[in-house]
Amino acid sequence: MARFRWPWSSRERYSGQSWSIGDPAFAAWLRNTEDMDGESVTPYTVLGLSAVLRSVSVISGTIAGLPLRTYERQGDDRARVPSVFDDPYPGVEGMTRFAWAETVLIHLLLWRNAYLWHDARDTRTGEVTAYRPIHPDAITKIERVGGKKQFTYRDDAGESKVVGTEWITHIPGPSLDGSCGHPLLSSARAIFSGAISGDKAAQTTLRRGIRLAGLLTPEEGEELGETEGDAILEMLRQRVVGREHSGDVALINRRMKLAPWTPNNIESQWAETRQAVLGEVGRLFGMPAHLLNDTEKQTSWGTGVAEQNLGLARYTLMHWSTRLEQGLSQRLPADQFCEFDYAGLLQGTPAEEIQLLIAQVDAGLLTLDEARKIRNLPPLTAAQKAAMQPPPAPPQIPRAQGATA
């Protein structure tokens, strides 16, 4: 088993990418910053933004919850067959299928690259029997040598080692060079940096607590020394502040003016900043506004659940699930492929589903037992089937010959 050095504290690497010396990002890199605003933009820091965390959770968790099935082509038909991807990292020391798929998708969404280490093989056939997700930061370089991919990583001793696709399955995200996924955080660093900066500013302001009742200033013509001003403030705190002085009257033998001074969220532009962040992150990840709890401009009322799920699946989820399906299918025999089953996600309400099943049974597309299986019901017993048969028609009484009506 290979042991990797996990660079948890390292800054994000953009391996396999060419930089122009005229690119501002290159100057930022020389200054050891990830962006031009001084905020560190990494997969770890952006997860501190609630909109990013929600987007990544929805996409990865929804796809991971879908059944991943393997099929074999048989002429124009296909049949389900078992494969290693039914449980890709088995055992108590491994991962559940949901956690495995979720981890791989989080790597794809944030790092734009996912790597699976071939952790175990069948001693008889040599086929891989366990695919272990490895942290994208562990891979320091991707290159093609003789048309084949090679991956450089550091082991726990800090030594660089090079392996090929016989040890690593690489699933790249959207790419510009066909070898490595293009980093989203690098391309949209200004957006994420501004969002992180806005969050930090809001947190700092709230932590320092500029929640003053007001500013007390002397009227024109009044002269107050520092000692006298402090005495007036102390007297006001004793006479006015606190619930026990509610409705009381205070006397000051000076002309003073009290101006309220408590900035609110609107004046601080916090609400507007967060609203803008929701829109930017939603566009970057392809998330509908209502799933980010942004219902100011868009609402889910009046739209069926099936239609909402269909739009999410078609324009966002399938973009990532298809990438994963095809990457895994390359590790299967030539006539086999794996596929996420979206049927459960796209089904409508129970009433709509039952009506559809009834129509399919009436049309002969499904048997009654097949329809019951879809609803997680057992097959009908022989007695139940006999009871459902229509009663026989009464016998026809023959007429006597020559009888008239």
mmCIF file of all heavy atoms in Angstrom, residues 148-178:
data_model
loop_
_atom_site.group_PDB
_atom_site.id
_atom_site.type_symbol
_atom_site.label_atom_id
_atom_site.label_comp_id
_atom_site.label_asym_id
_atom_site.label_seq_id
_atom_site.Cartn_x
_atom_site.Cartn_y
_atom_site.Cartn_z
ATOM 1 N N LYS A 148 1.543 8.643 -22.511
ATOM 2 C CA LYS A 148 0.940 8.061 -21.318
ATOM 3 C C LYS A 148 1.079 9.022 -20.144
ATOM 4 O O LYS A 148 2.080 9.719 -20.006
ATOM 5 C CB LYS A 148 1.595 6.723 -20.983
ATOM 6 C CG LYS A 148 1.378 5.651 -22.045
ATOM 7 C CD LYS A 148 1.983 4.332 -21.610
ATOM 8 C CE LYS A 148 1.724 3.246 -22.655
ATOM 9 N NZ LYS A 148 2.311 1.946 -22.243
ATOM 10 N N LYS A 149 0.065 9.034 -19.292
ATOM 11 C CA LYS A 149 0.091 9.905 -18.128
ATOM 12 C C LYS A 149 1.050 9.361 -17.071
ATOM 13 O O LYS A 149 1.133 8.158 -16.837
ATOM 14 C CB LYS A 149 -1.302 10.038 -17.514
ATOM 15 C CG LYS A 149 -2.247 10.948 -18.264
ATOM 16 C CD LYS A 149 -3.553 11.098 -17.491
ATOM 17 C CE LYS A 149 -4.533 12.005 -18.223
ATOM 18 N NZ LYS A 149 -5.791 12.157 -17.479
ATOM 19 N N GLN A 150 1.758 10.294 -16.435
ATOM 20 C CA GLN A 150 2.587 9.961 -15.288
ATOM 21 C C GLN A 150 2.274 10.935 -14.161
ATOM 22 O O GLN A 150 2.100 12.133 -14.389
ATOM 23 C CB GLN A 150 4.073 10.016 -15.642
ATOM 24 C CG GLN A 150 4.530 8.877 -16.540
ATOM 25 C CD GLN A 150 6.038 8.803 -16.670
ATOM 26 O OE1 GLN A 150 6.756 9.714 -16.256
ATOM 27 N NE2 GLN A 150 6.525 7.711 -17.230
ATOM 28 N N PHE A 151 2.217 10.391 -12.948
ATOM 29 C CA PHE A 151 1.841 11.172 -11.780
ATOM 30 C C PHE A 151 3.001 11.184 -10.789
ATOM 31 O O PHE A 151 3.545 10.133 -10.457
ATOM 32 C CB PHE A 151 0.602 10.574 -11.101
ATOM 33 C CG PHE A 151 -0.550 10.347 -12.039
ATOM 34 C CD1 PHE A 151 -0.706 9.120 -12.679
ATOM 35 C CD2 PHE A 151 -1.469 11.345 -12.294
ATOM 36 C CE1 PHE A 151 -1.759 8.899 -13.545
ATOM 37 C CE2 PHE A 151 -2.531 11.131 -13.160
ATOM 38 C CZ PHE A 151 -2.670 9.903 -13.796
ATOM 39 N N THR A 152 3.351 12.366 -10.326
ATOM 40 C CA THR A 152 4.397 12.511 -9.318
ATOM 41 C C THR A 152 3.756 12.825 -7.981
ATOM 42 O O THR A 152 2.908 13.719 -7.884
ATOM 43 C CB THR A 152 5.371 13.639 -9.698
ATOM 44 O OG1 THR A 152 5.930 13.373 -10.987
ATOM 45 C CG2 THR A 152 6.498 13.747 -8.675
ATOM 46 N N TYR A 153 4.143 12.079 -6.960
ATOM 47 C CA TYR A 153 3.614 12.327 -5.620
ATOM 48 C C TYR A 153 4.750 12.201 -4.608
ATOM 49 O O TYR A 153 5.822 11.664 -4.907
ATOM 50 C CB TYR A 153 2.488 11.348 -5.272
ATOM 51 C CG TYR A 153 2.929 9.916 -5.060
ATOM 52 C CD1 TYR A 153 3.261 9.457 -3.782
ATOM 53 C CD2 TYR A 153 3.005 9.015 -6.121
ATOM 54 C CE1 TYR A 153 3.657 8.148 -3.572
ATOM 55 C CE2 TYR A 153 3.398 7.714 -5.923
ATOM 56 C CZ TYR A 153 3.731 7.281 -4.644
ATOM 57 O OH TYR A 153 4.137 5.992 -4.440
ATOM 58 N N ARG A 154 4.507 12.709 -3.425
ATOM 59 C CA ARG A 154 5.478 12.604 -2.343
ATOM 60 C C ARG A 154 4.978 11.592 -1.320
ATOM 61 O O ARG A 154 3.824 11.658 -0.893
ATOM 62 C CB ARG A 154 5.694 13.969 -1.678
ATOM 63 C CG ARG A 154 6.429 14.967 -2.551
ATOM 64 C CD ARG A 154 6.796 16.220 -1.755
ATOM 65 N NE ARG A 154 7.463 17.196 -2.593
ATOM 66 C CZ ARG A 154 8.759 17.187 -2.859
ATOM 67 N NH1 ARG A 154 9.528 16.240 -2.331
ATOM 68 N NH2 ARG A 154 9.295 18.113 -3.631
ATOM 69 N N ASP A 155 5.860 10.671 -0.937
ATOM 70 C CA ASP A 155 5.468 9.698 0.076
ATOM 71 C C ASP A 155 5.633 10.308 1.460
ATOM 72 O O ASP A 155 6.018 11.476 1.611
ATOM 73 C CB ASP A 155 6.274 8.410 -0.067
ATOM 74 C CG ASP A 155 7.770 8.640 0.077
ATOM 75 O OD1 ASP A 155 8.157 9.708 0.572
ATOM 76 O OD2 ASP A 155 8.549 7.742 -0.310
ATOM 77 N N ASP A 156 5.342 9.522 2.510
ATOM 78 C CA ASP A 156 5.387 10.082 3.859
ATOM 79 C C ASP A 156 6.797 10.419 4.305
ATOM 80 O O ASP A 156 6.986 11.111 5.312
ATOM 81 C CB ASP A 156 4.725 9.126 4.859
ATOM 82 C CG ASP A 156 5.329 7.729 4.800
ATOM 83 O OD1 ASP A 156 6.207 7.505 3.936
ATOM 84 O OD2 ASP A 156 4.924 6.880 5.607
ATOM 85 N N ALA A 157 7.818 9.945 3.563
ATOM 86 C CA ALA A 157 9.198 10.308 3.872
ATOM 87 C C ALA A 157 9.632 11.575 3.143
ATOM 88 O O ALA A 157 10.762 12.034 3.294
ATOM 89 C CB ALA A 157 10.139 9.156 3.509
ATOM 90 N N GLY A 158 8.735 12.130 2.314
ATOM 91 C CA GLY A 158 9.046 13.350 1.589
ATOM 92 C C GLY A 158 9.737 13.130 0.267
ATOM 93 O O GLY A 158 10.151 14.097 -0.380
ATOM 94 N N GLU A 159 9.876 11.874 -0.171
ATOM 95 C CA GLU A 159 10.544 11.570 -1.432
ATOM 96 C C GLU A 159 9.537 11.575 -2.577
ATOM 97 O O GLU A 159 8.409 11.097 -2.436
ATOM 98 C CB GLU A 159 11.231 10.215 -1.356
ATOM 99 C CG GLU A 159 12.353 10.147 -0.326
ATOM 100 C CD GLU A 159 13.036 8.792 -0.330
ATOM 101 O OE1 GLU A 159 12.656 7.948 -1.173
ATOM 102 O OE2 GLU A 159 13.946 8.584 0.494
ATOM 103 N N SER A 160 9.968 12.111 -3.721
ATOM 104 C CA SER A 160 9.105 12.130 -4.902
ATOM 105 C C SER A 160 9.145 10.784 -5.602
ATOM 106 O O SER A 160 10.217 10.197 -5.787
ATOM 107 C CB SER A 160 9.548 13.234 -5.867
ATOM 108 O OG SER A 160 9.337 14.505 -5.301
ATOM 109 N N LYS A 161 7.967 10.309 -5.991
ATOM 110 C CA LYS A 161 7.861 9.050 -6.729
ATOM 111 C C LYS A 161 6.945 9.257 -7.922
ATOM 112 O O LYS A 161 6.033 10.092 -7.881
ATOM 113 C CB LYS A 161 7.332 7.940 -5.829
ATOM 114 C CG LYS A 161 8.303 7.568 -4.707
ATOM 115 C CD LYS A 161 7.847 6.332 -3.962
ATOM 116 C CE LYS A 161 8.872 5.924 -2.913
ATOM 117 N NZ LYS A 161 8.461 4.705 -2.184
ATOM 118 N N VAL A 162 7.183 8.496 -8.969
ATOM 119 C CA VAL A 162 6.428 8.615 -10.210
ATOM 120 C C VAL A 162 5.765 7.281 -10.513
ATOM 121 O O VAL A 162 6.418 6.228 -10.482
ATOM 122 C CB VAL A 162 7.340 9.045 -11.378
ATOM 123 C CG1 VAL A 162 6.528 9.147 -12.669
ATOM 124 C CG2 VAL A 162 8.021 10.372 -11.075
ATOM 125 N N VAL A 163 4.462 7.320 -10.791
ATOM 126 C CA VAL A 163 3.712 6.124 -11.181
ATOM 127 C C VAL A 163 2.857 6.471 -12.388
ATOM 128 O O VAL A 163 2.656 7.643 -12.717
ATOM 129 C CB VAL A 163 2.826 5.603 -10.034
ATOM 130 C CG1 VAL A 163 3.669 5.125 -8.864
ATOM 131 C CG2 VAL A 163 1.846 6.676 -9.581
ATOM 132 N N GLY A 164 2.342 5.436 -13.041
ATOM 133 C CA GLY A 164 1.488 5.630 -14.210
ATOM 134 C C GLY A 164 0.058 5.234 -13.932
ATOM 135 O O GLY A 164 -0.355 5.031 -12.785
ATOM 136 N N THR A 165 -0.687 5.076 -15.006
ATOM 137 C CA THR A 165 -2.108 4.746 -14.875
ATOM 138 C C THR A 165 -2.341 3.312 -14.410
ATOM 139 O O THR A 165 -3.482 2.955 -14.138
ATOM 140 C CB THR A 165 -2.820 4.966 -16.219
ATOM 141 O OG1 THR A 165 -2.126 4.236 -17.244
ATOM 142 C CG2 THR A 165 -2.847 6.435 -16.583
ATOM 143 N N GLU A 166 -1.283 2.514 -14.327
ATOM 144 C CA GLU A 166 -1.457 1.180 -13.771
ATOM 145 C C GLU A 166 -1.673 1.225 -12.262
ATOM 146 O O GLU A 166 -2.111 0.243 -11.663
ATOM 147 C CB GLU A 166 -0.246 0.296 -14.107
ATOM 148 C CG GLU A 166 1.036 0.674 -13.386
ATOM 149 C CD GLU A 166 1.800 1.787 -14.085
ATOM 150 O OE1 GLU A 166 1.277 2.338 -15.082
ATOM 151 O OE2 GLU A 166 2.922 2.095 -13.630
ATOM 152 N N TRP A 167 -1.376 2.385 -11.636
ATOM 153 C CA TRP A 167 -1.558 2.532 -10.204
ATOM 154 C C TRP A 167 -2.582 3.601 -9.827
ATOM 155 O O TRP A 167 -3.078 3.619 -8.710
ATOM 156 C CB TRP A 167 -0.218 2.876 -9.529
ATOM 157 C CG TRP A 167 0.674 1.693 -9.369
ATOM 158 C CD1 TRP A 167 1.777 1.380 -10.116
ATOM 159 C CD2 TRP A 167 0.511 0.629 -8.430
ATOM 160 N NE1 TRP A 167 2.327 0.199 -9.697
ATOM 161 C CE2 TRP A 167 1.566 -0.293 -8.651
ATOM 162 C CE3 TRP A 167 -0.403 0.360 -7.416
ATOM 163 C CZ2 TRP A 167 1.729 -1.450 -7.906
ATOM 164 C CZ3 TRP A 167 -0.256 -0.799 -6.670
ATOM 165 C CH2 TRP A 167 0.800 -1.688 -6.914
ATOM 166 N N ILE A 168 -2.864 4.494 -10.732
ATOM 167 C CA ILE A 168 -3.789 5.596 -10.427
ATOM 168 C C ILE A 168 -4.810 5.739 -11.544
ATOM 169 O O ILE A 168 -4.453 5.752 -12.726
ATOM 170 C CB ILE A 168 -3.032 6.936 -10.242
ATOM 171 C CG1 ILE A 168 -2.223 6.916 -8.950
ATOM 172 C CG2 ILE A 168 -3.991 8.112 -10.227
ATOM 173 C CD1 ILE A 168 -1.441 8.201 -8.694
ATOM 174 N N THR A 169 -6.073 5.835 -11.161
ATOM 175 C CA THR A 169 -7.133 6.225 -12.092
ATOM 176 C C THR A 169 -7.375 7.717 -11.908
ATOM 177 O O THR A 169 -7.715 8.162 -10.807
ATOM 178 C CB THR A 169 -8.423 5.440 -11.827
ATOM 179 O OG1 THR A 169 -8.199 4.056 -12.121
ATOM 180 C CG2 THR A 169 -9.562 5.949 -12.707
ATOM 181 N N HIS A 170 -7.192 8.469 -12.973
ATOM 182 C CA HIS A 170 -7.338 9.920 -12.909
ATOM 183 C C HIS A 170 -8.639 10.323 -13.591
ATOM 184 O O HIS A 170 -8.896 9.961 -14.738
ATOM 185 C CB HIS A 170 -6.143 10.587 -13.611
ATOM 186 C CG HIS A 170 -6.249 12.080 -13.654
ATOM 187 N ND1 HIS A 170 -5.748 12.843 -14.701
ATOM 188 C CD2 HIS A 170 -6.804 12.979 -12.782
ATOM 189 C CE1 HIS A 170 -5.974 14.108 -14.467
ATOM 190 N NE2 HIS A 170 -6.614 14.225 -13.320
ATOM 191 N N ILE A 171 -9.459 11.082 -12.878
ATOM 192 C CA ILE A 171 -10.706 11.605 -13.431
ATOM 193 C C ILE A 171 -10.595 13.125 -13.423
ATOM 194 O O ILE A 171 -10.771 13.758 -12.378
ATOM 195 C CB ILE A 171 -11.923 11.145 -12.618
ATOM 196 C CG1 ILE A 171 -11.956 9.615 -12.557
ATOM 197 C CG2 ILE A 171 -13.213 11.677 -13.234
ATOM 198 C CD1 ILE A 171 -13.018 9.066 -11.632
ATOM 199 N N PRO A 172 -10.263 13.733 -14.555
ATOM 200 C CA PRO A 172 -10.098 15.192 -14.582
ATOM 201 C C PRO A 172 -11.433 15.906 -14.723
ATOM 202 O O PRO A 172 -12.397 15.377 -15.265
ATOM 203 C CB PRO A 172 -9.215 15.423 -15.806
ATOM 204 C CG PRO A 172 -9.568 14.286 -16.716
ATOM 205 C CD PRO A 172 -9.902 13.109 -15.828
ATOM 206 N N GLY A 173 -11.470 17.135 -14.239
ATOM 207 C CA GLY A 173 -12.620 17.994 -14.461
ATOM 208 C C GLY A 173 -12.500 18.677 -15.807
ATOM 209 O O GLY A 173 -11.699 18.261 -16.657
ATOM 210 N N PRO A 174 -13.293 19.725 -16.060
ATOM 211 C CA PRO A 174 -13.162 20.465 -17.324
ATOM 212 C C PRO A 174 -11.721 20.907 -17.533
ATOM 213 O O PRO A 174 -11.101 21.490 -16.644
ATOM 214 C CB PRO A 174 -14.100 21.664 -17.113
ATOM 215 C CG PRO A 174 -15.102 21.184 -16.107
ATOM 216 C CD PRO A 174 -14.357 20.256 -15.204
ATOM 217 N N SER A 175 -11.184 20.595 -18.720
ATOM 218 C CA SER A 175 -9.756 20.774 -18.953
ATOM 219 C C SER A 175 -9.502 21.640 -20.177
ATOM 220 O O SER A 175 -10.322 21.686 -21.099
ATOM 221 C CB SER A 175 -9.087 19.405 -19.126
ATOM 222 O OG SER A 175 -7.722 19.535 -19.450
ATOM 223 N N LEU A 176 -8.354 22.320 -20.176
ATOM 224 C CA LEU A 176 -7.925 23.090 -21.333
ATOM 225 C C LEU A 176 -6.832 22.380 -22.119
ATOM 226 O O LEU A 176 -6.592 22.712 -23.284
ATOM 227 C CB LEU A 176 -7.404 24.467 -20.886
ATOM 228 C CG LEU A 176 -8.417 25.378 -20.187
ATOM 229 C CD1 LEU A 176 -7.765 26.712 -19.835
ATOM 230 C CD2 LEU A 176 -9.645 25.608 -21.049
ATOM 231 N N ASP A 177 -6.151 21.410 -21.476
ATOM 232 C CA ASP A 177 -5.060 20.709 -22.154
ATOM 233 C C ASP A 177 -5.317 19.220 -22.335
ATOM 234 O O ASP A 177 -4.493 18.510 -22.902
ATOM 235 C CB ASP A 177 -3.742 20.904 -21.400
ATOM 236 C CG ASP A 177 -3.809 20.389 -19.967
ATOM 237 O OD1 ASP A 177 -4.836 19.790 -19.595
ATOM 238 O OD2 ASP A 177 -2.845 20.609 -19.211
ATOM 239 N N GLY A 178 -6.464 18.720 -21.870
ATOM 240 C CA GLY A 178 -6.789 17.313 -22.034
ATOM 241 C C GLY A 178 -6.098 16.399 -21.051
ATOM 242 O O GLY A 178 -6.320 15.184 -21.093
#
